[in-house]
Amino acid sequence: MEPKSGRKPINVLTEYLTSWIRANSEEALPFDSFENLKPGRVAQKNVERWVFNCNYVYNRMGGIFYDRNIFPQDTGERAKLIRSLDRVFKSISDTTPLDLRSKPSESVPYELSKDWPPFTENSRNTLERLEDSLEQFRAENPAFCDQHADALASAEAVIREEASYYTLIAEEAGDGSRAFVTTCRALLPIWCAKEINPLVTLLFWNDEDALAELVDELAASFSTQREFDASHARAIETWREATLQAQALYIDDLDDDADLTTLSVPEIGHLLASEDFSLDHGSSSEALPRWLLGKARLIWNVVICTVLGPEEAIGSALPDGSSTAESVYTARSSHCPSCLTGEVLLRRRYSSGRVVTIDRLMLDSVCSPGLWKVIGSHYDAHAPLPNSAYRTQFVTLGASFVASEVRDGTGKLIEGSGDSRFHLELAIEVDAHKHARVVARDLDSKNGTCVLRPSCTGLTCFAFPGRRHLGADDWARRLNVPVERVRMVNELALERGDIIQLADSCFEII
């Protein structure tokens, strides 16, 4: 079904980015690319080609020349060389439209897949075309190519190495129904770290007001892509929250000046793999920029979700603060939580939709067991202590205590009602192989605790009986889920993506 307004999400995205670039180009183009050297305004067709990566070889050749600072200093000579680059290396010329408006929505993912990655079966960028283009470029610019023969040979070698690596990525992804998604998940962090395309260098990704406006426009377009139903609406809201959270995560870590652009594409790929980096959980390694997870997730949620749909959003599991499982999570078949390694975040989800990081734990550096956090309504040093292996620590919990109660300006309790004073503990346990894990235990709370866990097969609700000895039927009614989705537990080793629901407050592990 086409949008009633006639504007597909991909058109909304490219039109908005083009307008934003023009509005912010008074002094200099707001992205870092050799295309800054070109006169004239950025057109929507340029942005479309960035998104679809149509002219990969052109961008890489120009980018390598730019990084090596070998463009002519003379304005006329530089313009002539850039025109030659345009003419010779572009797989889709400026006069060849992508014609996205007339293409049905179902064909847009195929268009993206052609060059995500390039140098594969249906790619517009091929090694044969590279050879022909290099020959033509040398014929058109003999003096420049003689002067910079080593740089030109190096650029060719770099692109050939990248082509081999992309072939490997495509082969590893296989040819299943999720192969393209798997490929994109592998490529995007690499391209963000390498700044492979003008799209990923846009200062737009830092602009909170602009992103919020684009998110509203895309959400409206998503809503017209098919007949309305509750699950689609929840998917859009989940996508919205994930996108805004990703930008906040990116901006928070912009002070990290770690730079991987000097590494090759294969080197960055191998580094990410060795440090167990994933768009689901990032990595705690100091070898990687802290901002990489936020930026890659942000561009994924904006660009990839524009093409594949909001259901592919990464980074959020709760569209609202409700306590029913049906409303707090829309299970996605692409999301399979992994065991905890690296950096673990405990985050509070407020009923308003605001998400705040409570604490970060570097799990790989933990050598001994202990108490991490205790969550309860409010701290009371004189309250009876719960039954816990860490009971002696409850008298002086300090920063280990997380108060769930929230009051408004008049003192009225607006969140945390029904949570027990000592409701839940999160402890760190270490096995015989020195592998640490985070274990949740209900502290005999009045109203119990449940942990909602998404998986490839749906949602599992791990429920603690609490003081009132609630059973699976009780929790199924409370959560509005089939009873077979409920598993009763007394303790639970947490996984990334788990949603921790107390009586009237919500937390998550990522």
Side-chain angles (χ1 to χ4, degrees):
M1 176 181 174
E2 293 298 313
K4 296 169 187 173
S5 66
R7 295 177 75 221
K8 295 187 284 289
I10 188 62
N11 299 127
V12 171
L13 173 63
T14 55
E15 288 170 15
Y16 190 93
L17 290 179
T18 304
S19 297
W20 182 91
I21 291 169
R22 290 176 176 175
N24 290 273
S25 299
E26 222 170 272
E27 296 181 4
L29 289 177
F31 56 88
D32 186 18
S33 166
F34 78 96
E35 293 197 83
N36 278 324
L37 304 175
K38 296 170 66 174
R41 297 198 305 173
V42 170
Q44 185 174 336
K45 62 185 176 183
N46 301 122
V47 177
E48 290 173 353
R49 285 153 174 73
W50 296 348
V51 170
F52 287 88
N53 202 37
C54 304
N55 291 319
Y56 183 87
V57 171
Y58 164 74
N59 282 321
R60 291 301 289 130
M61 290 298 296
I64 292 169
F65 288 1
Y66 187 63
D67 292 340
R68 290 174 175 263
N69 195 28
I70 60 174
F71 277 104
Q73 296 300 309
D74 179 78
T75 305
E77 288 298 313
R78 183 168 65 237
K80 179 184 174 183
L81 186 72
I82 291 176
R83 285 195 299 271
S84 180
L85 282 169
D86 280 15
R87 185 168 51 252
V88 171
F89 287 106
K90 279 188 173 178
S91 299
I92 291 189
S93 68
D94 291 344
T95 58
T96 306
L98 282 174
D99 204 19
L100 295 177
R101 289 185 182 279
S102 63
K103 282 185 170 69
S105 297
E106 295 76 14
S107 70
V108 177
Y110 173 71
E111 285 298 318
L112 188 71
S113 71
K114 288 181 179 179
D115 288 290
W116 279 68
F119 304 107
T120 50
E121 185 177 0
N122 297 311
S123 177
R124 306 170 185 90
N125 297 269
T126 66
L127 290 178
E128 292 78 8
R129 185 183 179 90
L130 172 66
E131 291 174 1
D132 293 342
S133 299
L134 285 168
E135 183 178 348
Q136 184 179 345
F137 185 75
R138 289 187 176 100
E140 291 187 5
N141 307 277
F144 175 86
C145 293
D146 287 345
Q147 182 181 358
H148 301 289
D150 290 345
L152 197 63
S154 176
E156 179 182 0
V158 165
I159 293 173
R160 288 185 178 278
E161 180 186 39
E162 291 172 1
S164 297
Y165 184 69
Y166 293 143
T167 300
L168 180 62
I169 286 180
E171 289 174 351
E172 289 178 347
D175 55 4
S177 61
R178 301 288 297 173
F180 177 52
V181 174
T182 300
T183 302
C184 290
R185 289 174 72 105
L187 290 172
L188 191 52
I190 297 172
W191 287 352
C192 286
K194 184 64 176 174
E195 298 184 349
I196 211 81
N197 179 311
L199 179 72
V200 302
T201 70
L202 280 174
L203 296 180
F204 167 81
W205 307 116
N206 306 16
D207 191 328
E208 295 175 271
D209 292 337
L211 180 72
E213 188 174 41
L214 174 59
V215 163
D216 287 342
E217 292 192 20
L218 284 172
S221 184
F222 285 144
S223 68
T224 63
Q225 292 298 291
R226 70 184 202 199
E227 294 300 327
F228 176 82
D229 62 66
S231 65
H232 188 49
R234 285 195 297 272
I236 293 172
E237 287 308 304
T238 301
W239 164 83
R240 178 196 297 273
E241 185 181 4
T243 304
L244 297 177
Q245 286 178 19
Q247 186 189 49
L249 181 63
Y250 171 50
I251 292 174
D252 282 349
D253 289 327
L254 271 177
D255 59 341
D256 184 353
D257 57 2
D259 183 9
L260 302 183
T261 57
T262 58
L263 299 180
S264 69
V265 164
E267 285 172 340
I268 294 173
H270 295 320
L271 176 62
L272 295 178
S274 69
E275 300 299 340
D276 193 30
F277 181 92
S278 160
L279 286 178
D280 292 316
H281 55 73
S283 170
S284 61
S285 171
E286 294 183 0
L288 303 178
R290 293 195 310 275
W291 49 259
L292 182 58
L293 176 62
K295 185 169 188 177
R297 274 188 182 176
L298 174 57
I299 297 177
W300 175 279
N301 288 334
V302 172
V303 176
I304 302 300
C305 289
T306 289
V307 175
L308 300 183
E311 293 80 7
E312 293 295 343
I314 298 176
S316 176
L318 276 174
D320 58 50
S322 168
S323 61
T324 66
E326 181 63 27
S327 63
V328 299
Y329 184 74
T330 301
R332 298 190 302 274
S333 60
S334 63
H335 180 89
C336 295
S338 60
C339 294
L340 293 177
T341 58
E343 184 180 48
V344 177
L345 273 63
L346 173 65
R347 306 201 304 186
R348 172 77 182 265
R349 289 182 166 274
Y350 292 91
S351 57
S352 64
R354 188 165 63 99
V355 180
V356 175
T357 298
I358 301 298
D359 197 13
R360 299 169 184 260
L361 176 66
M362 303 302 297
L363 207 59
D364 292 345
S365 64
V366 173
C367 299
S368 58
L371 185 66
W372 181 26
K373 292 292 177 186
V374 173
I375 304 174
S377 59
H378 62 275
Y379 185 69
D380 183 353
H382 303 291
L385 299 180
N387 183 23
S388 167
Y390 306 100
R391 181 171 178 154
T392 56
Q393 299 181 39
F394 278 62
V395 181
T396 55
L397 282 172
S400 296
F401 186 81
V402 179
S404 65
E405 285 188 352
V406 179
R407 298 181 182 273
D408 63 16
T410 66
K412 179 184 176 182
L413 184 64
I414 59 173
E415 199 161 333
S417 174
D419 293 354
S420 297
R421 281 197 180 93
F422 296 116
H423 197 112
L424 183 78
E425 73 175 18
L426 302 178
I428 305 166
E429 295 189 351
V430 181
D431 64 20
H433 302 288
K434 302 300 182 183
H435 296 147
R437 62 180 188 161
V438 177
V439 176
R441 296 186 182 89
D442 184 272
L443 295 171
D444 202 25
S445 66
K446 179 180 178 182
N447 292 309
T449 305
C450 71
V451 175
L452 308 179
R453 177 172 296 170
S455 73
C456 297
T457 57
L459 187 71
T460 302
C461 307
F462 295 92
F464 296 78
R467 193 184 313 162
R468 294 193 291 172
H469 304 289
L470 299 171
D473 290 334
D474 300 313
W475 278 106
R477 285 192 296 272
R478 180 187 287 191
L479 298 171
N480 191 27
V481 298
V483 69
E484 55 268 22
R485 288 286 180 187
V486 179
R487 289 179 56 186
M488 300 303 300
V489 295
N490 291 314
E491 65 177 44
L492 180 67
L494 297 178
E495 295 182 354
R496 211 176 296 278
D498 282 352
I499 313 299
I500 305 169
Q501 185 73 47
L502 277 57
D504 187 39
S505 59
C506 186
F507 300 80
E508 70 176 356
I509 293 288
I510 66 167

